[in-house]
Amino acid sequence: MRRRIFAISVVAVVLLGSTIFLTVMSEQRKAQTAYMKDLFAMDTFFTLQAYGPGAEGALELCARRVQELENRLSVTVEGSDIRRINQGLFSDEEMADAKIDADAGIAEDTFLLIKAARELGEETEGALDITLYPVLREWGFTTGDYKVPDEEVLWELLQKVDYTKIQLDEERQSVLVPAGTELDLGAVAKGYTGDCLTELLKERGVTSAMLDLGGNIQVLGAKPDGTPWRIAVKDPFGGSKMIGVLEVVDKAVITSGSYERYFVGEDGKDYWHILDPSDGYPADSGLVSVTVVGESGVKCDGLSTALFVMGKDRAVEFWRQHPEFEMILVTEDGKVYFTQGLEDSFECGKGWLAEEIPESSGD
Ligand code: ADP
Ligand code: MG
């Protein structure tokens, strides 16, 4: 009798053990399964990759969220908040009020993003200016109908460019801009989108994801095996040898470069899409690309554009005063500079001359 009980117990334990083992294995497999979602949005390709049980459904929600954000933030989508601001609906007090009363104000997303961009404008002393739209349009960067504008026309248009004139009412979440002011969130919208998607994935229990939003990379957690994500930094000269590899966990890695969108003028010169708000011409600061690494996508995105405008010396000075991000700069002569905080996580590619930027200037 005793023996039988013993034998039954052994069988039971083995069965239970193997059931637990199989369940754990299958859970682990689920946790390792990669789900992908490709979409075309915000004028570029998005590839979203997430792991784990809730990932598949969460990615569907992400795709919908991207659509919603584009419909609010795009400068070209008819009826978007930005379009309505640019059409003058929020450029005089009475009309703006009427719109809000009619419950046709702007979405919270739009308000928050304009607010963040305005703050970054202040921090960067106007190197980032989301009121540049009339100037960008004159160059044809919004339509692809490129031309080098007349200097006088540029000067005229620049009179309307001034982010400090954007008035935000916190309580009512409303915006008011001077007549003729037009906004373009192109420098920050993808970073904001990355932050929203990361948040959404977290809420759905996803702990490992990599979002590629047209070259803007945002990662959630580490890779499913616990090791950091390895992100390649592209060669801004168009060659095949990448600048290097960055190892990151829970970070945004965002690059702005003159190589991303440009045209060749009748004079044979290159003109690119990042403009210096102080003169309305493509920022000719000696940099060809700026990669910013940090926690906040919207900040990294805004900074990548602003630091490109500032050029190496001003960018380094700015970084020393704002230690919450790291950066990699590539100059026209092909040199790579990376900040001290990336010492252990940035591995420079073969053939590039790299130099570390120390935290203190040493003088
Ligand atoms: P990308 O869109 O290629 O990822 P950026 O994040 O650097 O690159 O954003 C560039 C876009 O931002 C331009 O296409 C333009 O719409 C807008 N822009 C250009 N210069 C500025 C600037 N100085 N301040 C604010 N926005 C700018
Ligand atoms: Mg940017």
Side-chain angles (χ1 to χ4, degrees):
M1 182 65 182
R2 267 225 184 133
R3 239 197 229 161
R4 238 169 84 196
I5 293 178
F6 178 72
I8 290 171
S9 314
V10 168
V11 171
V13 167
V14 168
L15 276 177
L16 186 68
S18 46
T19 312
I20 292 174
F21 178 74
L22 286 176
T23 314
V24 169
M25 285 303 286
S26 115
E27 279 306 310
Q28 256 178 9
R29 216 178 2 246
K30 253 197 223 161
Q32 300 278 344
T33 309
Y35 294 95
M36 308 275 283
K37 182 92 195 163
D38 290 320
L39 44 137
F40 185 82
M42 303 187 176
D43 214 16
T44 185
F45 291 98
F46 285 16
T47 301
L48 316 178
Q49 184 181 338
Y51 292 82
E56 197 174 15
L59 285 179
E60 290 306 318
L61 293 178
C62 283
R64 260 189 266 163
R65 183 76 172 112
V66 169
Q67 205 56 59
E68 179 178 65
L69 286 169
E70 181 160 28
N71 289 340
R72 289 174 176 165
L73 306 174
S74 166
V75 75
T76 49
V77 170
E78 195 53 53
S80 77
D81 289 348
I82 298 303
R83 263 300 266 257
R84 291 187 305 127
I85 292 170
N86 293 354
Q87 283 160 352
L89 288 181
F90 297 89
S91 58
D92 92 42
E93 205 117 17
E94 244 169 67
M95 255 163 96
D97 274 351
K99 286 283 148 202
I100 292 156
D101 292 344
D103 201 24
I106 55 170
E108 189 185 19
D109 283 319
T110 317
F111 181 85
L112 292 177
L113 183 50
I114 294 176
K115 185 174 166 216
R118 196 189 182 288
E119 279 166 12
L120 280 168
E122 255 150 40
E123 263 186 72
T124 61
E125 293 168 336
L128 183 82
D129 193 325
I130 56 166
T131 62
L132 258 180
Y133 189 56
V135 179
L136 283 159
R137 187 174 40 209
E138 188 63 20
W139 281 94
F141 284 115
T142 55
T143 52
D145 210 358
Y146 302 123
K147 68 162 189 283
V148 180
D150 278 347
E151 220 172 309
E152 277 155 41
V153 175
L154 269 188
W155 188 247
E156 197 62 40
L157 293 171
L158 275 173
Q159 306 314 308
K160 303 227 169 79
V161 174
D162 185 354
Y163 68 98
T164 65
K165 300 262 167 66
I166 303 171
Q167 292 180 53
L168 293 166
D169 183 334
E170 280 293 331
E171 214 165 285
R172 315 180 64 168
Q173 293 223 328
S174 65
V175 63
L176 194 65
V177 296
T181 298
E182 291 183 78
L183 310 184
D184 164 39
L185 299 176
V188 284
K190 277 184 282 165
Y192 180 79
T193 302
D195 290 340
C196 293
L197 299 189
T198 309
E199 216 33 62
L200 197 159
L201 290 168
K202 268 201 240 171
E203 278 166 21
R204 306 289 290 192
V206 175
T207 52
S208 175
M210 183 174 73
L211 312 175
D212 179 346
L213 314 181
N216 277 19
I217 308 288
Q218 294 194 222
V219 305
L220 168 61
K223 285 201 287 191
D225 66 4
T227 61
W229 294 98
R230 290 172 58 82
I231 310 296
V233 182
K234 261 202 274 175
D235 174 1
F237 299 100
S240 57
K241 50 179 183 125
M242 58 187 175
I243 294 292
V245 175
L246 269 167
E247 290 201 328
V248 285
V249 173
D250 274 323
K251 290 276 183 319
V253 178
I254 295 181
T255 302
S256 283
S258 45
Y259 61 94
E260 299 210 17
R261 202 177 320 155
Y262 67 96
F263 72 96
V264 183
E266 280 167 11
D267 55 6
K269 282 200 222 156
D270 287 352
Y271 295 95
W272 48 88
H273 73 312
I274 301 175
L275 305 184
D276 185 340
S278 67
D279 63 8
Y281 282 90
D284 201 3
S285 64
L287 294 176
V288 282
S289 91
V290 176
T291 300
V292 179
V293 186
E295 311 262 310
S296 150
V298 66
K299 254 198 153 175
C300 291
D301 202 359
L303 285 181
S304 70
T305 310
L307 298 171
F308 187 98
V309 172
M310 289 183 191
K312 178 172 165 278
D313 292 347
R314 273 180 70 201
V316 169
E317 200 181 310
F318 184 89
W319 170 71
R320 288 195 173 126
Q321 286 158 7
H322 299 81
E324 70 277 7
F325 73 95
E326 303 296 334
M327 64 184 181
I328 301 168
L329 310 176
V330 184
T331 50
E332 272 166 358
D333 55 2
K335 285 206 192 99
V336 178
Y337 298 86
F338 63 95
T339 51
Q340 196 175 333
L342 297 177
E343 217 169 32
D344 299 326
S345 51
F346 177 61
E347 189 190 311
C348 191
K350 281 203 189 83
W352 297 98
L353 207 57
E355 194 180 310
E356 185 173 315
I357 306 168
E359 263 154 36
S360 81
S361 59
D363 47 46

